[in-house]
Structure formats: C-alpha cells, structure tokens
C-alpha cells in the first residue's frame, strides 16, 4: 500500500460538505493544535483540518506528551467556530470521541469510549487499549467562543510503542492485521463527525452526551484521580455523563459525585 497522505488524497476520500474541505498536510510540525490555533487566529474557515506526518512536541491532556513518530499514524486538528456558549464546549471532546468510534466501527472494530477523551479498542479477552486521544482547546471572550481547536491522535499503522505505552496502547493495524491508508481513515472520521457536529450546533451539549453514551459502556467501575479535588481520589461506579459533560460516579456509600475534570483508572 502506498500511504503518502496529502490534502488532495484527503479531498478525494471525503464525503463531507464543509468539514475538512480546506486542509493542509505537513511533513512535520511541533503540534497540529498550535498550528491550527494560529491558522484560526489568522481567520481560517470553520472546518479547516491541519494534519501532519509527525510532531516534535505533540501534546496530550494534563501536560503529557503525545507519541508522534513519522510515517505511521494520524495527528490532526480541526478548527471549529461553534455558535454555542463557551460553557457547552468541553463536551465537544465527547462528540469527537464518538465520531472516531463510529469510524472505527465502520472498519469492523469494537471501540469503547473512556471518559473524557480516550478511544479504546477491546480485544477478545475484554482487555481495553487506547487507540486515540482527543485534546480540545478553546479561545473565548466571556461566554462568546472565538475559536475551538480539536486535536486527535489516532494510532493507525504503528506496530511498536515505547515501553511506558506498550501495555496500554494499540493501533488499527495491530487489531486488523493489515495496514490502512491514513487519508481514508481521516476521511472516515470527518464523515462521521460532520452530522454529529451539526447536531451539536442545533442542540448543544446534549447532542455530545448522547453521542458519547452510544459507545461508553457505562455503568463501569473506576478509580478517579481528580486533581485539586477533595479527596484527591474517588472509587466507585461511573453511572453516566451529565448534560454538561461531567461524569457521575457513585461511591461505595451510595453518594453520587460529579467529576468535572480528572482521569479514570481501572
Ligand atoms: C490525550 O489523550 O491526552 C490527548 C492526545 C491528543 C493528541 C493530538 S495529536 C494531534 C493534536 N496535536 C497535539 O499536540 N495534540 C493533539
């Protein structure tokens, strides 16, 4: 397979009306989220996609770095200009996770969303490994959103991971046993996202929560680290996601907690 993705090959594979119709595919950049934010500040249109073959400073949530070697995976960011208020933007992460999950389902894979931003694949033994992560960043003035950048890292053709990820990460190629065309995979995600995002523009955060619920597989037992929270750790059963995207967790005394930001651990 000749996998040399370009803006032109993405354009040929896409079925969207507007999302991804403007795109750039770079050989390398520091972080597509930074590049897309620059483009947005300079007036880039709604739906611009910035993708790259590799990142020198790919970022994840909570200050982590995102493993971004060349020639293997998808690293891309989407510029969005939602008309919804700033308070409704964090659940966009859930919505984009659902779009990635829909696209992976279309490839015959069994995705599962882990709140708030992980897309996982489940193997025959029920073990879940992360295949994609989402990082949403917003610029706003009060409640008015100026721009949103949603970045996605999706492990497509990588077969090896660094030791700290080896146990927890997987790729589409590892699960399907064949390499995939990255432009076609990206087109599949954008095709899945466009109608979900249009629903989000109409209905707001409720649309994101409904899309997430399709793939979340809750209730499910987790420990939660909630930085700055008191207590710092919670343990219990995740019941679902509130209208604003917060996770509802029932502890072993039956108390329900709302987790606004944090990380789930098995
Ligand atoms: C996470 O799981 O913590 C989120 C990972 C997000 C990674 C993507 S790769 C493309 C975009 N550019 C970045 O620097 N980060 C996101």
């Amino acid at each position: 397979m000749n996998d040399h993705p370009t803006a032109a090959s993405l354009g040929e594979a896409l079925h969207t009306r507007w999302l991804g119709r403007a795109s750039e595919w770079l050989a390398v950049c520091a972080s597509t989220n930074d590049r897309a934010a620059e483009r947005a500040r300079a007036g880039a249109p709604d739906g611009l996609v910035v993708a790259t073959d590799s990142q020198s400073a790919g970022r994840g949530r909570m200050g982590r770095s995102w493993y971004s070697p060349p020639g293997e995976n998808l690293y891309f960011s989407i510029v969005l200009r939602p008309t919804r208020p700033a308070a409704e933007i964090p659940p966009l992460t859930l919505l984009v996770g659902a779009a990635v999950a829909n696209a992976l389902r279309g490839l015959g894979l069994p995705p599962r969303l882990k709140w708030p931003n992980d897309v996982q694949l489940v193997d025959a033994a029920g073990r879940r490994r992360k295949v994609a992560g989402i990082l949403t960043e917003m610029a706003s003035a009060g409640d008015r959103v100026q721009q949103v950048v949603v970045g996605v890292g999706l492990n497509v053709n990588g077969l090896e991971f660094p030791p700290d990820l080896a146990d927890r990460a997987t790729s589409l190629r590892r699960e399907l046993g064949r390499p995939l065309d990255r432009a076609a995979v990206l087109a599949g995600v954008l095709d899945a996202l466009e109608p979900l995002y249009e629903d989000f523009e109409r209905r707001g955060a409720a649309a994101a929560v409904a899309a997430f619920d399709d793939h979340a597989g809750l209730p499910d037992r987790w420990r939660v680290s909630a930085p700055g929270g008191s207590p710092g750790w919670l343990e219990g059963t995740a019941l679902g996601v509130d209208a604003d995207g917060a996770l509802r967790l029932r502890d072993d005394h039956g108390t329900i907690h709302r987790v606004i930001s944090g990380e789930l651990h098995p």
Side-chain angles (χ1 to χ4, degrees):
M1 193 194 48
N2 180 18
D3 176 37
H4 293 295
T6 60
S9 60
L10 173 63
E12 281 160 27
L14 270 178
H15 297 94
T16 57
R17 283 184 299 111
W18 57 273
L19 184 60
R21 287 292 166 189
S23 72
E24 50 183 68
W25 212 306
L26 310 164
V28 63
C29 75
S31 156
T32 55
N33 266 35
D34 293 345
R35 179 80 170 214
E38 268 170 38
R39 289 282 185 270
R41 283 191 295 272
D46 201 13
L48 172 78
V49 171
V50 176
T52 189
D53 192 53
S54 75
Q55 298 183 119
S56 55
R59 289 185 276 115
R61 275 179 85 230
M62 303 187 160
R64 297 197 190 104
S65 63
W66 185 258
Y67 176 62
S68 309
E72 298 183 350
N73 300 321
L74 279 170
Y75 319 106
F76 64 94
S77 300
I78 308 168
V79 172
L80 294 169
R81 300 186 181 282
T83 56
R84 309 295 310 186
E88 290 197 70
I89 300 309
L92 260 184
T93 298
L94 308 179
L95 186 93
V96 174
V100 174
N102 285 344
L104 301 192
R105 222 182 238 174
L107 294 170
L109 289 165
R112 193 86 179 259
L113 294 179
K114 178 183 169 219
W115 182 93
N117 73 314
D118 287 6
V119 184
Q120 302 178 318
L121 290 173
V122 190
D123 70 15
R127 235 196 108 106
R128 304 172 196 180
R129 290 192 173 81
K130 181 163 174 170
V131 70
I134 296 148
L135 181 67
T136 300
E137 296 174 320
M138 166 176 66
S140 61
D143 215 21
R144 200 178 60 77
V145 176
Q146 287 155 331
Q147 65 192 52
V148 173
V149 169
V150 186
V152 180
L154 171 56
N155 301 330
V156 179
N157 289 326
L159 291 174
E160 305 292 333
F161 294 95
D164 58 318
L165 298 178
D167 248 22
R168 296 180 285 124
T170 192
S171 69
L172 303 184
R173 181 174 183 175
R174 267 167 71 148
E175 302 300 317
L176 288 169
R178 62 178 172 90
L180 287 99
D181 179 308
R182 281 176 289 168
V185 174
L186 175 51
V189 173
L190 299 175
D191 287 350
L193 179 56
E194 188 176 86
L196 290 180
Y197 181 74
E198 288 173 355
D199 193 30
F200 172 82
E201 274 288 79
R202 278 188 298 270
R203 297 201 292 134
V209 172
F212 175 81
D213 280 348
D214 277 349
H215 301 278
L218 298 170
D220 208 351
R221 194 160 176 85
W222 296 103
R223 283 183 312 138
V224 182
S225 60
S230 168
W233 283 91
L234 286 169
E235 189 163 346
T237 302
L239 301 174
V241 172
D242 278 346
D244 60 356
L247 183 75
R248 265 197 330 281
L249 188 93
R250 186 181 57 225
D251 69 20
D252 295 336
H253 306 288
T255 305
I256 307 229
H257 303 261
R258 270 172 47 81
V259 184
I260 290 160
S261 134
E263 180 100 339
L264 304 185
H265 305 264

